[in-house]
Amino acid sequence: MALELNKLTNATGGGYSNLTLLDFDGTLTVKDTFFPFLAMVRGRAFLLRHALFICLTLVLWQVGLYSAHRAKERIYTLCLKGLSSDELARFGSAFAQKLLDPQSRLLRAGALELIRAHQGANRRVAIVSASPEIYVRPFCAALGLECIATRFEFDAAGCFTGHLLGANCNGAEKVNRVKAHFGALTGVTVEVYGDSSGDYPMLALVDSAHAHLNALRTSSLSFKLREMVRLLRVQQYVKNVFVFIPLFFGGKLLDPVALWATVQAALAFSLTSSFIYVLNDLKDVAEDRLHSIKRFRPLAAGTITVPSAVALGVLSLLAGLTLAWWLNPMCLALIAGYLGLNLLYVYLIKQWALFDLIVIAVGFDLRVFTGAASSGVYISSWLVLMVFLLAMFLAMGKRWDDLRRQAQTDSSSQRPHLMRRSLYGYSRDFALSTLTFLSAVNTICYIQYSMDDSSMARLGSSYLFLTSLWVILGNLRYLQDIFVLEQGYSPTKILLKDRALLVCLVLWALHITSIIYAGGGYEPL
């Protein structure tokens, strides 16, 4: 039994010309089946007793400190380690039957009909899932499907070790497993169904006509709300943390009046930026439909209509400008300036290499000025310059990441991405040289800020310059990542993946916070 659980179903039946690949969780099911399966095995009481450990693991995964592979292994070790392959097989079969039971309502409406329709069209149909093979395989066996899923590792005694056998079957690993299972797909008509970014690499195997994202959930209210959130780029609101920089460095982060005003300013900026994102998607919708990843954006995919997008964007803009006007005229003027600058960016400057970076950097400085205007806090010219250089650094890092992924795609895919027009003004060597230059200049600016007489006077410390240590180490570590370790990610991605870099950031934050808010100035006698 242990050996059977760790085998892939080999392709049978000779040649074939039609294939359907189905994701499982979220595509065929109404929710992730990870915890329902664990609840069946261990009971809800067990999961509640260990809720703190589970929640901490999930948070570390969400912020990027744990990979999905590691997070799964930690939770599987807690819940399933030591169970025999026979025990897990029984639980898996029982859970598969539960999934197929209409009373459980775990499968989406139309899921079984979709499977039968593809089988009836004389297609080979396979489920490709990050969920454990332990219950996906019996589910597939009951429906006559082929199975590609995440596998468990068993020891010599047939007991689960808590580890996965091979990689977690998600993202690029899905493509690897599909190719290992079916071989070359040349001459095969493939249909792919998925629901999340973890399915994008598999969806990228085919063109838009054969790639189906969220095909079974387009009519639900929750799906429409999710698509609205995606259209407004709510996840990008984190950029507006720069609005809080004057408040933090001005020592007023604990002032409730100033804090509340800054929160409102950040919200006004967020709502206004959502309008810019909607406008950008409206302008690029035709181009996005030709891109292997961007074609799944709400407008390009058609999950939100153009009139609905326009209405949502205008409402977001009006809400943002109204809130800025409510704060004070200066906030309104700064956010209106940000709006005008980004209109130029969307319709003109985005296509001009280097100028696009400058506009992005100015946008971040406008965030800082808005934070200062809303809270009435003085902002150092050194901080303004550092934010400008840091924003250029992050934007160039994004260009570097785009160029790296473009090169990887062109060398490994039969369907290369279309290069963004602004990337034609960049090369990988130029991007790396610019990152090195900006890193050095920004470090010098920080050292100048930390040794500036007015900065030391405001913060009440002559030892502010000591915080430069973490800035220097962090910049050197990033350069080591891209030049020595060849981890070609953007700065934000590396920050989440590199613990040493994250430690530098945390130590800098603790050090500067102790100086500003805890009297950690270490003044000499």
Side-chain angles (χ1 to χ4, degrees):
M1 178 64 70
L3 293 176
E4 291 177 357
L5 290 170
N6 288 333
K7 285 182 179 179
L8 282 172
T9 304
N10 293 320
T12 59
Y16 63 99
S17 59
N18 297 295
L19 172 65
T20 299
L21 304 174
L22 300 164
D23 172 56
F24 190 64
D25 285 338
T27 299
L28 298 179
T29 67
V30 297
K31 60 183 178 181
D32 196 289
T33 55
F34 182 75
F35 284 110
F37 175 66
L38 295 181
M40 169 180 276
V41 177
R42 285 298 189 186
R44 295 184 183 276
F46 177 90
L47 297 182
L48 288 174
R49 286 198 304 271
H50 296 87
L52 181 61
F53 173 87
I54 293 172
C55 288
L56 179 61
T57 301
L58 293 176
V59 167
L60 291 173
W61 164 58
Q62 285 290 335
V63 301
L65 295 180
Y66 279 176
S67 65
H69 184 113
R70 185 179 182 188
K72 279 187 173 184
E73 287 192 334
R74 282 174 63 85
I75 296 176
Y76 281 144
T77 297
L78 170 70
C79 299
L80 304 178
K81 183 178 179 180
L83 293 179
S84 70
S85 59
D86 290 337
E87 289 176 302
L88 284 172
R90 285 195 296 272
F91 281 121
S93 296
F95 189 68
Q97 290 301 315
K98 180 179 179 180
L99 289 169
L100 292 166
D101 183 358
Q103 299 299 318
S104 70
R105 296 182 179 178
L106 289 173
L107 289 182
R108 290 196 181 279
L112 295 179
E113 289 77 6
L114 175 68
I115 291 171
R116 293 185 185 117
H118 281 267
Q119 288 176 321
N122 197 29
R123 305 180 66 89
R124 291 180 66 178
V125 183
I127 286 181
V128 187
S129 175
S131 294
E133 191 180 56
I134 203 76
Y135 61 79
V136 177
R137 184 173 292 283
F139 178 89
C140 290
L143 297 175
L145 308 175
E146 297 179 58
C147 175
I148 300 175
T150 297
R151 295 167 288 177
F152 286 174
E153 178 186 82
F154 295 91
D155 60 23
C159 295
F160 179 42
T161 64
H163 298 294
L164 303 182
L165 183 65
N168 180 46
C169 189
N170 194 38
E173 180 62 17
K174 286 192 172 185
V175 175
N176 296 336
R177 297 279 298 277
V178 165
K179 290 180 177 179
H181 186 88
F182 292 105
L185 298 178
T186 305
V188 178
T189 302
V190 183
E191 298 277 347
V192 182
Y193 290 79
D195 80 304
S196 68
S197 59
D199 301 315
Y200 285 174
M202 187 168 68
L203 288 160
L205 288 171
V206 298
D207 58 28
S208 297
H210 301 285
H212 309 279
L213 187 68
N214 296 303
L216 296 178
R217 56 190 302 187
T218 55
S219 61
S220 68
L221 177 61
S222 62
F223 173 75
K224 292 185 181 300
L225 291 175
R226 173 184 161 183
E227 291 300 279
M228 289 180 185
V229 168
R230 289 182 62 216
L231 178 68
L232 295 175
R233 303 287 210 286
V234 172
Q235 76 276 13
Q236 297 292 341
Y237 286 3
V238 68
K239 293 178 180 177
N240 295 315
V241 71
F242 280 81
V243 176
F244 293 86
I245 283 180
L247 199 67
F248 176 78
F249 283 95
K252 289 192 175 183
L253 193 60
L254 303 180
D255 182 331
V257 175
L259 179 61
W260 175 237
T262 306
V263 168
Q264 293 178 80
L267 179 59
F269 234 105
S270 298
L271 291 169
T272 304
S273 65
S274 283
F275 170 76
I276 299 298
Y277 285 122
V278 173
L279 194 65
N280 183 72
D281 284 359
L282 285 167
K283 177 181 177 294
D284 293 344
V285 63
E287 184 177 329
D288 287 347
R289 284 175 180 149
L290 300 176
H291 194 279
S292 61
I293 301 300
K294 293 180 182 179
R295 58 182 163 150
F296 301 120
R297 287 178 174 176
L299 276 171
T303 54
I304 290 184
T305 63
V306 170
S308 297
V310 170
L312 195 59
V314 170
L315 285 174
S316 180
L317 174 64
L318 291 176
L321 293 179
T322 301
L323 185 54
W325 171 80
W326 174 264
L327 284 169
N328 60 59
M330 181 57 72
C331 286
L332 177 60
L334 288 167
I335 291 180
Y338 172 81
L339 174 64
L341 184 67
N342 276 274
L343 288 175
L344 286 174
Y345 177 80
V346 168
Y347 286 101
L348 183 64
I349 300 176
K350 185 170 67 171
Q351 316 306 330
W352 298 353
L354 294 183
F355 287 97
D356 59 336
L357 302 186
I358 292 173
V359 169
I360 291 171
V362 170
F364 277 90
D365 267 344
L366 288 174
R367 288 173 169 88
V368 173
F369 289 133
T370 302
S374 63
S375 59
V377 175
Y378 170 81
I379 180 69
S380 166
S381 57
W382 284 113
L383 281 176
V384 173
L385 183 57
M386 281 189 294
V387 167
F388 180 85
L389 291 169
L390 177 62
M392 285 198 72
F393 180 75
L394 295 174
M396 180 56 81
K398 179 62 169 60
R399 299 293 183 270
W400 154 246
D401 191 37
D402 288 342
L403 289 165
R404 178 191 64 85
R405 289 193 296 145
Q406 178 74 36
Q408 289 180 342
T409 302
D410 288 346
S411 63
S412 63
S413 175
Q414 298 176 348
R415 301 185 61 256
H417 291 65
L418 290 179
M419 182 180 285
R420 290 173 54 178
R421 279 171 284 179
S422 62
L423 290 181
Y424 287 118
Y426 299 100
S427 69
R428 297 180 71 185
D429 289 341
F430 175 68
L432 288 175
S433 299
T434 305
L435 285 171
T436 305
F437 169 76
L438 291 172
S439 172
V441 175
N442 206 9
T443 301
I444 292 171
C445 282
Y446 186 87
I447 294 173
Q448 288 289 100
Y449 163 74
S450 67
M451 299 180 68
D452 182 63
D453 290 338
S454 61
S455 299
M456 291 188 288
R458 280 194 306 275
L459 299 180
S461 171
S462 300
Y463 288 87
L464 180 61
F465 72 93
L466 291 176
T467 61
S468 300
L469 171 66
W470 313 117
V471 176
I472 294 169
L473 288 176
N475 277 278
L476 288 175
R477 176 61 179 179
Y478 176 73
L479 295 176
Q480 183 185 44
D481 279 334
I482 59 177
F483 284 110
V484 180
L485 304 180
E486 297 184 352
Q487 296 182 8
Y489 301 104
S490 68
T492 49
K493 290 181 181 178
I494 286 184
L495 180 62
L496 295 176
K497 291 176 176 290
D498 189 331
R499 290 186 179 181
L501 197 57
L502 187 62
V503 166
C504 287
L505 177 63
V506 170
L507 290 175
W508 170 82
L510 292 174
H511 195 168
I512 194 73
T513 300
S514 71
I515 290 175
I516 299 174
Y517 293 95
Y522 317 112
E523 288 298 327
L525 295 175

